[in-house]
Amino acid sequence: MNAGREASPALHRLFEAPSVIGALLEGLPEPAWLVDGESLTVSVVNRAALRLLGLKPERALGQPPAMLCGSLEDEAFWQGAARDPFARIRSDTILTHSDGQPRWVSRSISPIHTPDGDRYWLVLLHDQTRRRRAEAERETLLAELRATLESTADGILVVDLAGRVRSFNRRFAKLWGLPGGLLHEPGDAGLWLSLQRVMRDGEQYRLRIEALLDAPLMRSSDMLRLADGRVLEQVSLPQMSRGEPIGRVFSFRDLSEKLAAHQRIEELGRSDALTGAPNRRALADRIVQQIAAVDTGEPSPVFALLHLDLDRFKQINDTLGHSYGDRVLREVVERLRDAVGENDTLARLGGDEFALLIDNAQMFEAEATARRVQQLLAEPFSFDTLSFTVTASCGIALYPGDGGTPDELMASAERAMHWVKEGGRAGFRFHVPRKEVDLLSRMRLDHAMRQALTEGRFRLHYQPQVELGSDRVIGAEALIRWRDPQRGDISPAEFIPLAEESGFVVAIGDWVLREAVAQAAHWLSRGLRMPVAVNVSALQFQQAHFVETVAEALQEAMLPASMLELELTEGVLLGDAEEGLRRMRALASLGVTLSIDDFGTGYSSLAYLKRFPIQRLKIDRSFVQGLPGDASDVGIANAIVQMGRALGLQVIAEGVETEAQRDFLAQAGCHEFQGFLFAKPLRPDEFEQRVRPRRHVVDAPASGWLGLANG
């Protein structure tokens, strides 16, 4: 044995005392055992090794070492150790516990020679099981996290506090069009330069990212506009570990299609589909802007609003047909455009009514515009072989004398237009304060209306609500009717506006509510389950005890709340949004159904539909009458139906008068309809006789309106 391999006298003495060897092994913190070089069996083993193996001493001592650690590598080593007394090994391996579970260990085997020539191998182990299991769990979690990141529709980017890439998914690479997708590996800080290059304003984006990286705890949401026209939503949140920021997580979503669809619907809601002119809603917004300009002291001390109504236009539709009527309306818009300036606004209010908002106009300028309109319309209209003349009645209101809000100004201009109609048509007239107008007829009508409620002269008729596809009647719309002993039948269009102006509409609305609820309860007692719907005016809805009034009406009649629907006019949505939301939620908690009437003709916004607990939309008759031949009505009807479906709302169309209209709405996906095609508004007994033979018992809510519509 050479000098390098000779054992020291101390080692010789050590091996003369096996008990000392055992004590030394027991003092080691790691599992260890000693293998006899001659017999290649385990001669000494410490308790740490026995715990690791789950063995008793008698099961380990005297055993071949491959029995304790039996990997192929160990078997090969011990076979070679019989020939090479200086063999040694250091590597990771697996041994098996007595319970059958594997244990991962780092194992080293070193030779030991005594002066007497005895040979031993010292086997030392370090238990790696906990670490390996933790690593396996981390790998599983990372795999699950990666799968989650790849399955999301959003692009995800994770960076460290310095902005260096830590991870991102394929959706992120595709969204930003990164070349090759995976060119930016973890640790790369040059990714931001790639993103800046595809931004519309890369420098601004760079500054924004720097600000986020300088504030590790900041949360942000940004709209990013790319050079190719796309719009991305970027949400950035701090990545935390043990309460400390360790990086930042960005998520990106492509909003381009959503915004385009939203913009298209908003455009449809702000423009007239037939003529392309702004509608009433857009006009109101423009008036608000004009008022703001005056209030902020900008030039424009006053402006004028002209309300035009074509004279005897119904004769054109009745004689020549609606297609010719539509051509006339389009031609009128083209002519009126020549009467307005660059800063003026032309709008179609609906039907054959138009408005002109004349900027920076006092009485003289407003009169000149009205005369210009009369001249433009005086030119003959020629279509095919037909030639005819169209005139218009024009009312003029001036700000601020004739009203301080859009509604007040439009009401004043419309009132003046009606005075022109009453005076013979084909002219114009300025609005004058009411005190200068003979109010005797209005006073008489107001008095008669109040007496009618006291003396019980109001009646309710009910128009069936029909399910498209089955023709089942699933609800009834309550419509108010008034027959005066002296005046005869008085149209709701005549007395309801007066009731709204005087505030008496609250009392009328409460009567309609209780009467309709009582009628539904009566039908239910006779075995006819028929939900009813009534309209709620904005003033009625704003009453402090309105929710309690509804609850009391249901309780008095013992009618389930699910059988009552309250139709809200779009004006209801223009008040205090938070208070309106609170009341709507209170009504919804009662179980009452809420819907929006005549959708698309006023001020409705997608934000209201998403936020308020609304369950149904009604397509206004003005969008139904041209179906299916009018391309504009087709586009608007389809848009409303698809929007309603996307928001999970039921959609009902009113004013359906032909089978072609009904068939188109059914194909478009509309859920329900009402109109003369099925039935006109009926007395309660007529309604019951009409629907009972056709109707199975159905528990489905309906939609309806208080009383201005006639089907």
Side-chain angles (χ1 to χ4, degrees):
M1 187 177 299
N2 58 38
R5 296 178 180 175
E6 292 179 353
S8 66
L11 182 61
H12 176 71
R13 292 192 296 273
L14 173 63
F15 277 89
E16 289 177 345
S19 61
V20 176
I21 298 175
L24 287 173
L25 292 186
E26 285 299 335
L28 295 175
E30 300 289 350
W33 59 76
L34 200 64
V35 178
D36 184 87
E38 295 297 329
S39 62
L40 290 182
T41 60
V42 178
S43 60
V44 182
V45 61
N46 66 2
R47 289 189 181 89
L50 294 174
R51 286 194 299 270
L52 179 64
L53 297 168
L55 298 176
K56 299 291 185 182
E58 58 270 19
R59 295 274 311 272
L61 294 174
Q63 298 294 327
M67 292 293 293
L68 305 186
C69 196
S71 69
L72 294 176
E73 186 181 27
D74 286 274
E75 291 181 2
F77 172 82
W78 293 116
Q79 289 175 6
R83 300 185 299 272
D84 181 5
F86 297 99
R88 63 178 61 238
I89 187 173
R90 181 185 298 272
S91 65
D92 294 334
T93 187
I94 299 176
L95 54 81
T96 303
H97 191 273
S98 61
D99 61 8
Q101 297 299 316
R103 298 291 190 271
W104 286 267
V105 296
S106 295
R107 179 256 298 110
S108 67
I109 304 176
S110 304
I112 299 177
H113 294 184
T114 69
D116 296 336
D118 296 329
R119 295 181 292 118
Y120 297 90
W121 274 273
L122 178 63
V123 181
L124 294 174
L125 300 98
H126 179 68
D127 190 355
Q128 302 284 352
T129 303
R130 182 175 298 179
R131 180 181 64 81
R132 290 291 298 272
R133 287 177 177 171
E135 289 176 352
E137 290 178 0
R138 282 197 298 271
E139 289 177 0
T140 300
L141 290 174
L142 287 174
E144 292 175 352
L145 177 60
R146 173 59 61 183
T148 301
L149 291 178
E150 292 300 341
S151 65
T152 181
D154 293 345
I156 304 296
L157 169 66
V158 183
V159 300
D160 62 17
L161 293 176
R164 293 185 294 264
V165 176
R166 294 181 60 191
S167 178
F168 59 86
N169 61 2
R170 283 192 291 267
R171 175 60 179 163
F172 167 78
K174 182 177 180 181
L175 205 58
W176 285 92
L178 298 181
L182 299 176
L183 291 183
H184 296 280
E185 299 295 340
D188 181 12
L191 170 67
W192 300 111
L193 183 59
S194 297
L195 304 190
Q196 292 174 41
R197 289 170 178 168
V198 299
M199 290 288 298
R200 181 173 295 180
D201 190 339
E203 178 62 19
Q204 182 181 5
Y205 186 58
R206 181 186 67 80
L207 295 175
R208 179 59 171 163
I209 295 300
E210 289 180 354
L212 290 175
L213 295 177
D214 288 341
L217 298 179
M218 182 186 296
R219 298 167 176 260
S220 73
S221 178
D222 300 283
M223 300 290 285
L224 310 179
R225 298 192 177 275
L226 275 58
D228 60 7
R230 288 183 296 139
V231 178
L232 302 184
E233 178 188 34
Q234 172 185 281
V235 176
S236 180
L237 301 174
Q239 186 183 32
M240 309 294 291
S241 177
R242 298 178 181 177
E244 295 294 330
I246 62 172
R248 183 167 287 280
V249 179
F250 292 85
S251 65
F252 302 89
R253 180 172 298 182
D254 192 342
L255 300 181
S256 304
E257 293 184 2
K258 180 180 179 180
L259 292 176
H262 191 171
Q263 181 179 359
R264 177 57 179 158
I265 292 177
E266 287 292 331
E267 289 175 354
L268 289 174
R270 295 176 58 83
S271 62
D272 173 54
L274 176 64
T275 64
N279 62 6
R280 183 184 294 270
R281 176 186 175 187
L283 174 65
D285 290 344
R286 178 59 178 156
I287 294 176
V288 170
Q289 295 174 10
Q290 288 287 83
I291 293 175
V294 173
D295 293 342
T296 55
E298 295 183 11
S300 233
V302 72
F303 59 88
L305 179 66
L306 281 64
H307 186 118
L308 279 75
D309 185 280
L310 302 184
D311 298 325
R312 299 183 177 89
F313 182 75
K314 187 175 183 296
Q315 295 180 1
I316 296 176
N317 281 333
D318 293 344
T319 304
L320 304 178
H322 286 284
S323 61
Y324 270 92
D326 290 346
R327 293 174 67 180
V328 170
L329 294 175
R330 286 192 286 265
E331 177 66 22
V332 167
V333 167
E334 291 302 318
R335 296 190 184 190
L336 292 179
R337 286 197 173 105
D338 292 335
V340 297
E342 181 178 351
N343 297 324
D344 303 332
T345 301
L346 162 65
R348 183 189 177 201
L349 304 179
D352 58 347
E353 296 183 69
F354 303 87
L356 302 177
L357 180 63
I358 310 302
D359 183 37
N360 196 22
Q362 300 184 27
M363 183 175 292
F364 176 79
E365 290 82 5
E367 179 177 347
T369 300
R371 294 188 184 280
R372 174 65 174 160
V373 167
Q374 299 293 336
Q375 295 173 358
L376 292 171
L377 295 181
E379 295 292 328
F381 287 74
S382 299
F383 298 111
D384 301 329
T385 59
L386 297 174
S387 184
F388 50 88
T389 300
V390 175
T391 62
S393 300
C394 176
I396 307 173
L398 299 175
Y399 177 82
D402 296 326
T405 67
D407 287 343
E408 291 175 356
L409 281 171
M410 287 191 280
S412 296
E414 183 176 8
R415 193 176 297 116
M417 179 271 294
H418 284 298
W419 296 336
V420 177
K421 291 278 190 184
E422 294 171 1
R425 300 181 175 86
F428 65 89
R429 181 172 177 176
F430 284 90
H431 178 267
V432 294
R434 185 171 297 167
K435 63 183 181 181
E436 299 179 19
V437 180
D438 182 6
L439 299 179
L440 182 59
S441 61
R442 293 172 58 84
M443 293 173 60
R444 289 173 177 170
L445 180 61
D446 183 80
H447 178 68
M449 178 176 60
R450 296 174 186 271
Q451 280 190 317
L453 182 60
T454 303
E455 298 172 3
R457 293 178 185 152
F458 288 124
R459 294 289 183 269
L460 288 185
H461 286 190
Y462 298 87
Q463 186 168 48
Q465 304 275 337
V466 185
E467 184 180 66
L468 276 164
S470 68
D471 275 355
R472 292 186 304 167
V473 177
I474 60 174
E477 177 188 14
L479 304 171
I480 193 170
R481 296 293 183 262
W482 175 19
R483 184 174 181 82
D484 185 82
Q486 287 77 36
R487 299 167 178 257
D489 290 328
I490 301 178
S491 169
E494 183 177 356
F495 67 86
I496 290 296
L498 179 60
E500 290 178 337
E501 185 176 335
S502 65
F504 192 61
V505 72
V506 175
I508 293 178
D510 288 346
W511 177 86
V512 171
L513 172 66
R514 296 181 184 276
E515 184 73 9
V517 167
Q519 182 62 61
H522 174 71
W523 279 332
L524 186 61
S525 69
R526 292 171 53 83
L528 181 61
R529 189 177 183 84
M530 183 61 61
V532 295
V534 298
N535 173 259
V536 177
S537 71
L539 184 60
Q540 183 184 5
F541 180 79
Q542 293 164 4
Q543 298 303 301
H545 302 293
F546 176 69
V547 176
E548 290 78 5
T549 300
V550 174
E552 289 172 4
L554 292 169
Q555 185 176 8
E556 289 172 3
M558 293 186 294
L559 181 71
S562 61
M563 296 188 63
L564 173 65
E565 177 168 343
L566 301 178
E567 270 201 60
L568 309 175
T569 61
E570 296 185 80
V572 169
L573 307 180
L574 294 179
D576 187 335
E578 294 304 321
E579 178 63 15
L581 177 60
R582 185 189 68 80
R583 293 190 182 181
M584 287 187 186
R585 286 176 174 170
L587 292 168
S589 67
L590 293 176
V592 174
T593 300
L594 301 175
S595 62
I596 295 297
D597 186 32
D598 299 342
F599 180 76
T601 61
Y603 300 85
S604 285
S605 167
L606 292 179
Y608 291 129
L609 300 183
K610 291 177 62 178
R611 188 179 183 196
F612 293 141
I614 297 166
Q615 294 147 298
R616 177 168 280 99
L617 296 181
K618 176 179 281 188
I619 303 177
D620 183 64
R621 67 184 62 253
S622 64
F623 302 139
V624 173
Q625 63 183 6
L627 299 177
D630 187 284
S632 299
D633 286 349
V634 166
I636 292 178
N638 273 323
I640 294 176
V641 170
Q642 294 305 315
M643 180 183 63
R645 284 184 166 272
L647 294 173
L649 305 176
Q650 293 288 110
V651 182
I652 179 171
E654 65 176 355
V656 177
E657 300 179 358
T658 68
E659 293 182 356
Q661 293 170 344
R662 179 195 61 192
D663 294 343
F664 171 84
L665 291 166
Q667 186 176 7
C670 186
H671 302 99
E672 303 158 15
F673 79 98
Q674 68 182 77
F676 282 2
L677 176 63
F678 186 88
K680 65 178 183 179
L682 305 170
R683 296 194 309 269
D685 58 332
E686 293 175 332
F687 183 95
E688 185 174 354
Q689 293 172 7
R690 176 67 187 274
V691 305
R692 187 180 285 277
R694 303 174 58 103
R695 187 181 185 276
H696 300 292
V697 175
V698 176
D699 187 8
S703 63
W705 204 74
L706 181 147
L708 297 187
N710 289 315

